[in-house]
């Protein structure tokens, strides 16, 4: 009787085993029976990967997004950013349309390699909160997952800083352009340290929005993406109308020079005096095609992550590459080389029917990207805290 009671107790408590700490040899994962790193206190174990601290019912309750909203749109929004509006035309003026196309295709090829590797991983098991960190830690081990997770977290924070500075630069360029048309010389700065103060205000506002609910982030992100797409359509329509001579926007007829930017013409920058080269142009182009992991960061909200992530990410890469190439060639083969080098916000000058659509669109687009970074980075730290990989993150788990 004693032995039978012990066996029954073992069966009852088998689904509530205490999670082993991911250190030393215990950090390796047993993919055969689902035991190992990340099982936590879940009520259900799946084959291949652990379930963290979430139960299957909780996951199904929050996982309600499909491929389009959950994977395609977040990835596309993270790729279409301030570089498209503020830097791509300037890169085209220096490197030329042909060289810029080669740089974009090379960067896209690198992104496709990352996509293929991640697709092979995400189709082999369930995915919970934590996105790229969860996939890597359950596949390559806790040590590798923690190392790459911290790098990805740092990259998300730095990307958010770049997007905040993009908002500030767009505002300054717009103010400078309006003052120049009125005949006044103006640097674009409103007061001392206005860039720093405005940046801190943007960070505080986006942090407050994320703190009070991720549902607002999803709603605002989709709205911001719609404004971004509208801005791109206005730029392309204005460039085509400018090439046909039926619309000048805020440019002059002498700014029209077809096929002047086909080949590289590296010259000193009118503002900095630095002469760029192919490698510095690549350094500006490459960040524009990154951001495909943003869709994977929303994995805990997807109905079928193993299907939605590969499909949504792939089509976001294809769509964004097409948009970048279209802007490069349509604007580069229409506007003169000197205008592209002097007016870094020429996309707004070409916009049809009005430049304010693009100027406001760039600000809104960058704000949406900041919201994305602010919402995905905390989820990453939260997942690492659940796995108890770093002692310094244990307080995050205790305070929830």
């Amino acid at each position: 009787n004693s032995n039978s009671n012990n066996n029954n107790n073992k069966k009852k408590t088998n689904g509530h085993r205490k999670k082993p700490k991911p250190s030393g040899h215990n950090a390796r994962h047993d993919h055969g029976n689902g035991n190992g790193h990340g099982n936590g206190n879940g009520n259900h174990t799946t084959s291949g990967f652990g379930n963290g601290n979430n139960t299957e019912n909780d996951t199904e309750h929050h996982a309600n997004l499909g491929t389009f909203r959950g994977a395609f749109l977040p990835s596309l929004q993270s790729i279409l950013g301030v570089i498209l509006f503020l830097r791509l035309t300037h890169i085209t003026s220096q490197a030329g349309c042909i060289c810029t196309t080669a740089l974009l295709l090379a960067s896209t090829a690198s992104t496709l390699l990352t996509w293929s590797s991640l697709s092979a991983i995400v189709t082999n098991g369930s995915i919970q909160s934590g996105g790229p960190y969860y996939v890597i830690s359950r596949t390559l081990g806790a040590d590798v997952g923690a190392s790459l997770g911290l790098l990805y977290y740092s990259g998300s924070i730095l990307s958010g800083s770049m997007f905040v500075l993009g908002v500030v630069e767009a505002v300054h360029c717009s103010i400078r352009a309006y003052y120049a048309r009125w005949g006044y010389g103006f640097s674009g700065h409103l007061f001392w340290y206005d860039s720093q103060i405005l940046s801190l205000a943007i960070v505080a506002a986006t942090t407050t929005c994320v703190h009070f609910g991720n549902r607002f982030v999803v709603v605002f992100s989709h709205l911001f993406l719609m404004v971004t797409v509208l801005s791109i359509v206005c730029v392309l329509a204005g460039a085509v109308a400018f090439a046909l001579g039926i619309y000048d926007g805020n440019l002059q007829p002498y700014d029209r020079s077809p096929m002047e930017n086909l080949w590289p013409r590296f010259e000193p920058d009118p503002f900095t005096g630095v002469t760029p080269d192919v490698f510095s142009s690549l350094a500006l182009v490459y960040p524009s095609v990154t951001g495909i992991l943003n869709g994977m960061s929303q994995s805990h909200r997807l109905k079928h992550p193993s299907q939605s992530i590969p499909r949504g990410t792939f089509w976001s890469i294809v769509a964004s590459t097409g948009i970048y190439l279209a802007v490069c060639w349509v604007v580069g083969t229409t506007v003169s080389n000197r205008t592209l080098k002097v007016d870094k916000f020429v996309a707004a000058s070409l916009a049809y029917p009005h430049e304010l659509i693009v100027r406001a669109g760039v600000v809104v687009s960058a704000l949406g990207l900041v919201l994305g970074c602010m919402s995905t980075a905390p989820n990453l730290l939260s997942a690492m805290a659940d796995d108890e990989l770093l002692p310094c993150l244990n307080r995050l788990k205790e305070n929830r």
Side-chain angles (χ1 to χ4, degrees):
N1 293 333
S2 175
N3 292 332
S4 61
N5 291 333
N6 291 334
N7 292 331
N8 291 332
N9 292 332
K10 289 180 180 180
K11 291 180 181 179
K12 293 179 181 179
T13 58
N14 190 32
H16 302 274
R17 289 187 300 270
K18 186 177 180 179
K19 176 180 61 179
K21 291 189 177 182
S23 60
H25 185 70
N26 290 331
R28 299 296 177 257
H29 311 289
D30 185 359
H31 295 282
N33 55 16
N35 299 335
H37 176 63
N39 277 337
N41 297 325
N43 294 329
H44 178 77
T45 47
T46 57
S47 176
F49 296 99
N51 266 349
N53 290 333
N54 298 325
T55 63
E56 184 180 4
N57 293 332
D58 292 337
T59 302
E60 292 179 354
H61 178 72
H62 296 287
N64 54 4
L65 296 180
T67 301
F68 184 74
R69 290 183 58 194
F72 176 78
L73 291 182
S75 299
L76 183 64
Q77 182 181 14
S78 62
I79 298 175
L80 301 178
V82 293
I83 296 179
L84 174 65
F85 296 99
L86 295 177
R87 290 294 181 267
L88 182 61
T89 55
H90 183 73
I91 296 172
T92 304
S93 68
Q94 296 284 359
C97 294
I98 296 177
C99 184
T100 303
T101 301
L103 295 177
L104 285 171
L105 293 179
S107 302
T108 303
S110 174
T111 306
L112 287 174
L113 291 177
T114 305
W115 165 81
S116 62
S117 301
L118 291 176
S119 299
I121 295 175
V122 300
T123 54
N124 288 328
S126 62
I127 306 175
Q128 304 299 328
S129 178
Y133 157 74
Y134 185 91
V135 172
I136 294 173
S137 63
R138 268 57 175 179
T139 306
L140 302 179
D143 299 336
V144 178
S147 301
L148 297 182
L150 289 176
L151 289 176
Y152 180 63
Y153 172 79
S154 302
S156 298
I157 297 300
L158 294 177
S159 297
S161 302
M162 181 185 71
F163 299 141
V164 170
L165 294 177
V167 175
V168 176
E169 182 175 347
V171 173
H172 286 169
C173 288
S174 299
I175 295 175
R176 189 184 302 114
Y178 279 109
Y179 267 80
R181 290 176 202 157
W182 296 336
Y184 299 100
F186 185 61
S187 62
H189 295 280
L190 301 176
F191 46 85
W192 289 101
Y193 301 106
D194 58 344
S195 299
Q196 292 81 355
I197 295 176
L198 182 58
S199 299
L200 292 176
I202 294 173
V203 172
T206 52
T207 303
T208 303
C209 180
V210 173
H211 175 72
F212 283 103
N214 278 330
R215 63 181 182 274
F216 299 109
V217 176
V218 176
V219 174
F220 288 145
S221 296
H222 293 166
L223 177 63
F224 293 165
L225 180 59
M226 292 175 58
V227 176
T228 303
V229 173
L230 177 62
S231 302
I232 295 172
V233 173
C234 292
V235 172
L236 294 177
V240 172
F242 182 72
L244 298 176
I246 59 178
Y247 177 76
D248 291 336
N250 290 314
L251 300 179
Q252 301 298 326
Y254 55 78
D255 293 323
R256 187 182 298 108
S257 181
M259 303 300 175
E260 188 180 353
N261 300 296
L262 289 179
W263 301 101
R265 296 180 60 178
F266 292 109
E267 298 176 354
D269 187 276
F271 299 97
T272 63
V274 179
T275 303
D277 54 14
V278 175
F279 297 102
S280 60
S281 300
L282 178 61
L284 290 175
V285 169
Y286 191 79
S288 64
V289 299
T290 59
I292 62 172
L293 297 180
N294 202 6
M296 184 178 291
S297 300
Q298 307 294 330
S299 57
H300 59 289
R301 300 179 182 176
L302 299 175
K303 291 182 180 179
H304 306 288
S306 60
Q307 299 178 9
S308 298
I309 291 176
R311 295 176 184 176
T313 304
F314 174 77
W315 288 113
S316 67
I317 295 173
V318 174
S320 60
T321 303
I323 292 174
Y324 273 91
L325 291 176
V327 173
C328 171
W329 281 91
V330 172
V331 178
T333 56
T334 302
V335 185
S336 65
N337 183 269
R338 187 62 184 173
T339 303
L340 292 181
K341 289 179 178 177
V342 173
D343 188 1
K344 292 187 177 181
F345 210 174
V346 70
S349 302
L350 282 171
Y352 177 86
H354 201 277
E355 62 175 340
L356 284 179
I357 299 176
V358 176
R359 295 189 185 277
V362 173
V363 175
V364 170
S365 170
L367 288 177
L369 293 172
V370 175
L371 281 176
C373 295
M374 289 291 185
S375 61
T376 56
N379 289 334
L380 185 63
L381 284 185
S382 177
M384 296 179 66
D386 288 339
D387 290 340
E388 300 179 357
L389 293 176
L390 299 175
C392 59
L393 299 180
N394 291 340
R395 186 173 296 275
L396 295 178
K397 184 178 179 180
E398 296 173 356
N399 293 334
R400 284 187 304 173

